[in-house]
Amino acid sequence: MLTKGFLITFEGGEGGGKTTQIVRLRDKLTKLGKDVIVLREPGGTVISEQIREVVLSAKNAGIAYTTEVLLFQAARAQIYREIVLPSLKAGKVVLIDRSRDSSVVYQGIVRGFGKDLIEQLNDISTKETYPDLTLLLDVNVKDGLKRREESGSANRLDMEDTSFHDKVRKAYQQLAKDDKKKRWVVIDANKTIDEVDAAIWQVVEKKIN
Ligand code: TYD
């Protein structure tokens, strides 16, 4: 799909600091006079936030993996139609905390539904939209989980065991390595917030003018 805006997604395992960094990037871009929108998945619209509540609530431990796959996609289909695609068409910079690659990693690779099937669903949900840039905030699993614990905001997937989070990290690293569209940049998120912020800005500044 042809768009005029610029889509940046933030990806990575738990505790990589995506949420902090996305706000910092928004502020920098806004200072440059860009029209910026910040979103998160699952969520970002009234309907998608309701789906988020169902899919991430620790109360719903009994959710089937297939239901999980489809709920993440349902939330995605809604946010792309309601906000992402119209914003890109209007020339805005759209920053999303997780998008299609989270489904590839968590549901496709780690849960085992397969990358191809999930990408087909992603294409339906996003109307075949790929990010212009994907920043992988790569943090070692132990520190990531510790940060998450300290923030006190663990969701249903955070409660999976360490081997789950190890698989998530490796799957992301592999996707970035296999990247044929050259849209992935790996950021070392083990560093301080300011250092990560500077590393992100170095990448984004060159791409957005
Ligand atoms: P969130 O609280 O937003 O966590 P984080 O700060 O790590 O982004 O929770 C999002 C969770 O949902 C996270 O554990 C990853 C998972 N997820 C999927 O499994 N598939 C998806 O397609 C998306 C968007 C998220």
Side-chain angles (χ1 to χ4, degrees), residues 122-180:
N122 278 336
D123 280 344
I124 294 170
S125 303
T126 66
K127 296 200 177 176
E128 297 178 22
T129 305
Y130 277 85
D132 298 292
L133 172 66
T134 298
L135 298 164
L136 170 55
L137 269 56
D138 181 58
V139 65
N140 83 60
V141 170
K142 216 170 122 228
D143 293 342
L145 290 176
K146 199 162 151 246
R147 282 187 198 165
R148 176 49 49 98
E149 218 172 88
E150 285 161 4
S151 78
S153 59
N155 64 52
R156 189 174 56 78
L157 282 111
D158 295 335
M159 293 170 189
E160 294 278 355
D161 61 13
T162 311
S163 87
F164 174 91
H165 296 288
D166 270 331
K167 283 186 206 151
V168 167
R169 185 180 190 204
K170 290 205 177 85
Y172 270 121
Q173 288 172 336
Q174 194 62 45
L175 279 193
K177 217 169 128 197
D178 294 343
D179 177 21
K180 296 204 178 61

Side-chain angles (χ1 to χ4, degrees), residues 8-10 17-29 36-40 94-98 137 200:
I8 304 178
T9 55
F10 284 65
K18 291 189 276 51
T19 314
T20 307
Q21 294 298 339
I22 214 165
V23 170
R24 286 185 168 219
L25 182 58
R26 181 204 51 206
D27 292 347
K28 285 205 180 81
L29 289 168
V36 190
I37 285 205
V38 174
L39 301 166
R40 68 171 177 183
V94 179
L95 311 179
I96 322 183
D97 190 341
R98 299 192 180 280
L137 269 56
I200 289 174

Side-chain angles (χ1 to χ4, degrees), residues 19 32 47 60 73 106-107 114 139-140 171 180-181 209:
T19 314
L32 278 186
I47 292 168
N60 289 335
Q73 294 296 343
Y106 286 81
Q107 283 68 51
V139 65
N140 83 60
K180 296 204 178 61
K181 292 192 166 79
N209 39 50

Side-chain angles (χ1 to χ4, degrees), residues 5 9 14 54 58 80-81 105 112 139-140:
T9 55
E14 315 305 322
V54 174
Y80 271 74
R81 279 156 187 76
V105 166
V139 65
N140 83 60

